[in-house]
């Protein structure tokens, strides 16, 4: 955790969840993932717990596109073993998909499906982040 982020974390008030559905991710490297999501997707760090002696954090709270995204590291010694991300994707609703998709690639995401006009009437694309999480972007056409 950078000194700047640690100082910001210490000064942050309790963050309130936003959105009707809050996503909670478990990744290997939650602090680095939080910093990456700021860079790749324009997230804002609402609060973050200081890292333990192994560099893990038990809780980071981000605001992303009007909703909350929460993240923690795995803690196998407490019954929370590391497992790969699977069976879901996080969808960012956007009005500028091509720019946001390109920005996420520049930040370090991997292209899965570049944005294209879809049969259901939206423009849609998929990415994978360095932590194994699948992301999609969707923009209504018209």
């Amino acid at each position: 955790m950078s000194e700047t982020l640690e100082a910001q974390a210490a000064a942050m008030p309790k963050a309130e969840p936003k959105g009707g559905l809050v996503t909670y991710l478990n990744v290997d490297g939650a602090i680095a993932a939080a910093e990456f999501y700021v860079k790749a997707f324009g997230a804002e760090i609402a609060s973050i717990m200081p890292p333990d002696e192994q560099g893990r954090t038990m809780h980071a709270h981000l605001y992303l596109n009007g909703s909350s995204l929460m993240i923690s590291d795995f803690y196998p010694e407490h019954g929370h073993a590391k497992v790969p991300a699977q069976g879901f994707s996080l969808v960012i609703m956007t009005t500028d998909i091509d720019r946001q998709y390109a920005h996420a690639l520049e930040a370090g995401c991997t292209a899965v499906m570049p944005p294209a006009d879809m049969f259901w009437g939206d423009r849609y694309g998929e990415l994978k982040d360095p932590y194994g999480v699948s992301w999609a972007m969707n923009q209504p056409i018209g």
Side-chain angles (χ1 to χ4, degrees), residues 116-124 138-142:
D117 294 350
M118 295 294 161
F119 67 90
W120 62 83
D122 292 345
R123 191 159 176 78
Y124 178 86
N138 192 80
Q139 175 182 333
I141 296 173

Side-chain angles (χ1 to χ4, degrees), residues 59-118:
H59 183 73
H61 183 165
L62 308 176
Y63 295 138
L64 177 62
N65 203 30
S67 295
S68 288
L69 171 63
M70 299 185 188
I71 312 169
S72 75
D73 279 283
F74 296 104
Y75 286 85
E77 69 275 22
H78 296 292
H80 196 231
K82 181 179 175 181
V83 295
Q86 57 189 351
F88 67 91
S89 63
L90 302 178
V91 181
I92 297 173
M93 303 304 289
T94 181
T95 58
D96 195 1
I97 190 170
D98 294 302
R99 182 191 61 77
Q100 287 185 295
Y101 191 92
H103 182 79
L105 292 178
E106 289 170 11
C109 285
T110 302
V112 174
M113 186 173 85
D117 294 350
M118 295 294 161

